[in-house]
Amino acid sequence: MAETEAPRPRQRPIVRLGIFLISHSFSFSVVCCTAGVLALLLLPILAKNTYISENALMPGSANPMLSNQDVLEANRFVKDLIALNSKPRGSGIESQRLIAQYMKDLGAEVNYHKFHPQITQFHPLQFFSSPDSGTVERNISCSFHGVNTVGITRAPRGDGKEAIVLVTPYNSQKIKQAEALSLGTAYSVFSLLSRVTWLAKDIIWLVSDSQHGEYAAVSAWLRDYHIPMFTRLHTVNAETCPDINYLYDVRDNSVTGRKIYDGFKRAGTMAAALVIKVVDRSETFDDNLNIYAEASNGQMPNLDLINIVNYLAVHRQGFRVKVEKLWSLLDSKWLKNLGELFESVGQVVSSINPQWKFGIPAADYTEGIATLASSLYNQALGVPTGPHGAFRDYQVDAITLELSPRASVDKIIRQNDFLLRGGRLIEGVILSVNNLLEKFHQSFFLYLLTSPGKFVSVGVYMIAFALLVAPLPMVAASLYADAINLNSSQNNEKTVADEPGTALRSLKWVNAAKKVFVVHLWGSVVSLLPYFICQIPNRSPTVSFIIWFLLSVLSFFIMFLILASPFSHAKESQLHLREWAILKSVTMSATFIGLCLMSVINFSTAELGGLLLVPMCLMAQPMRRDIRVGSLSTLSRLAYNLVFCLIGFPPVTFVLLKGAFEGFNSINVGDFWCWVESLWAWSSATYLYIEGILYLFGAERGSTITRNSRSEEAYLAICQLVLLILCVDSFRKVVHPHMVRTVRMLNHCIVLARSL
């Protein structure tokens, strides 16, 4: 009697689900990609109203104390500043002396901060450095520098361990009316805070000299604030810059008897920072308040800071609050039609159940999409939208408040009203931040704004990204399984060659990995070429871009001929369908890992990259095969792939976007070089994306080849730890630099290295 076969163990539900999705990868890809794009378009509808999470803030709980007398003093300050423009020479030094004198008369501790603008030249290790390690030009004349004026009011109820920063940028060479009003607004608040008794945090008023850029002045002061300085401005520059001595010749008839300090004064840890700006843009209806919050690499301040500004501006001072939009989308017809469609669907859903709130008005949807697109673009670009971005590099929550009056403020009554309302707004925000017992932490740090009063949290917008990239691992697994099954069916007739067949399958995977590795290696070389191009003297942006393009093409062909040419492998002269499937599987796996890692660093960059890369990965097929078949579907797919490759090429994408928003008449070849130069100048994570994929894939490739080598496994562990350290260090603008953990990682590397 034959033995009964043992019953096969039943597979787990998660395994059966995975097999089902892999076997139906095409349908799964279509459904997920469509759902991902639809979820992205639904974000304005899914946005929630903002709310204040930290109960200690209590915005508007106290009546404002800023009086008309403070406004009159601010008006006198504004008039004195504008009067300096009539002086032929020395207006910059005179304005700094005047500001310091007014601060000193209020009893504040005053000091000057001299700085030189940093060089923006590209350097390979720039992304792996801290924000205080920038290169400063040494041999610069005294005329090529800026001087910030800093005043500090000590809190009567504080211990000097915390501070709130007010920043007012201005051009010291010629002060405009708007800049004088921003200084007057800050002065009225600073004057009030120097007299109140409820203040628990020190107040720092930084009057930044923006003649070399608003961001450069604030960044230089923050860099020196967090690094000990043992030199003095007066003594060091007495011989080289005689004009510095003139800054200290302030009037001695002050009642306070204080003087301007010859050194760098500090307060406590910064709890928050507000950048105050007034613009000469006359509004039609109300006084407007524009909020700018995006910092480098998509960093955002705590949402509570924006919420209290929005609440006080709207419900207390009557400002019309705005956030930045892509204005070109507001006139889009297809977007309006889509908003009307969602509005109709919402009405149908409400008729079924009034408690279901789905749709929003079409006009609100269009504005929400325009605001969301602007937020995604600014975060993905990685360039700060104002000088507040310098504070986020040091984990300080900061925003820029841009005030624009309804009409001209030439009349004294209108100017007094504007100064009073703007000053009371700043006073209310400082009062709320002053109530905090710890740093902002209750509300969101990862969010997207669709309006000043609505936001999309990380738990909602990550759904769109997850749906968009979900087909990549499923299709990669399906392609690899089909290729292995095809190879196994060919080798079943040769039972003796089982072991060589296994080696052949591994070799095919390694060959595909090598080709993908070479492409990423080429991308790394291209990303480092600007360092050498910047050494060429008297180069224009157009010439730099042409040299970069030619060197990139040359380097690609050299690497292809040496490392990945089919002539170096006699047995692989023709690429079979199985080899193509494995190559596509490896490429999609690397793309999926890279997009997921980038979503942790910068979601907006990953989302926009996924919209381009995912369709390209799914639709990619051998061009010769499509041309050979010659059917309508294959030719359509070929045209689709060519168009997407062209659009995905960065220079072409830049030209198309700039032409769509600014017109094609203003396009220049060198504009792309200037745009990329701004990315590396701001240490944007977008520029590091290719190199991050290179390191990750190189480690993965090494772990496959040396699986049975114990010593090489230890070496790979060291490489992975070093990779983790580099990621933490290079993206220290996104993740707080825990130095203790970094030292521990280095110690682990040393221990593992000694064990080899």
Side-chain angles (χ1 to χ4, degrees), residues 18-29 470-486 577-578 581-582 584-586 588-589 618:
I19 295 175
F20 175 79
L21 294 178
I22 291 174
S23 60
H24 298 80
S25 59
F26 177 78
S27 302
F28 179 75
S29 302
L472 293 180
M474 295 300 171
V475 175
S478 176
L479 290 171
Y480 189 76
D482 294 341
I484 294 302
N485 291 335
L486 180 61
L577 182 61
R578 179 180 66 255
I582 295 178
K584 184 176 179 179
S585 174
V586 174
M588 296 178 72
S589 301
L618 295 178

Side-chain angles (χ1 to χ4, degrees), residues 345-494:
V345 173
Q347 292 175 357
V348 174
V349 171
S350 300
S351 63
I352 298 175
N353 189 345
Q355 296 182 354
W356 294 347
K357 297 180 180 180
F358 176 76
I360 59 176
D364 294 344
Y365 177 81
T366 305
E367 289 191 3
I369 283 290
T371 305
L372 182 67
S374 176
S375 183
L376 282 172
Y377 173 76
N378 289 326
Q379 293 186 28
L381 193 62
V383 178
T385 54
H388 63 273
F391 288 92
R392 283 304 304 164
D393 295 342
Y394 299 91
Q395 305 304 310
V396 179
D397 296 292
I399 56 176
T400 295
L401 306 180
E402 188 180 83
L403 302 169
S404 54
R406 179 177 66 247
S408 177
V409 291
D410 294 335
K411 297 181 179 180
I412 190 63
I413 299 178
R414 182 73 186 93
Q415 181 173 317
N416 289 342
D417 178 68
F418 183 77
L419 289 175
L420 181 65
R421 295 168 61 198
R424 287 182 173 178
L425 171 63
I426 305 302
E427 176 196 352
V429 176
I430 292 177
L431 179 61
S432 296
V433 178
N434 184 74
N435 293 335
L436 285 177
L437 300 178
E438 48 193 345
K439 294 186 67 175
F440 285 100
H441 68 282
Q442 289 284 354
S443 191
F444 294 92
F445 284 95
L446 303 175
Y447 57 90
L448 296 172
L449 292 175
T450 59
S451 71
K454 288 190 175 182
F455 76 103
V456 182
S457 64
V458 59
V460 177
Y461 65 66
M462 282 300 292
I463 297 176
F465 175 77
L467 290 172
L468 187 64
V469 301
L472 293 180
M474 295 300 171
V475 175
S478 176
L479 290 171
Y480 189 76
D482 294 341
I484 294 302
N485 291 335
L486 180 61
N487 195 14
S488 299
S489 62
Q490 294 177 356
N491 293 329
N492 279 339
E493 300 177 357
K494 302 177 181 180

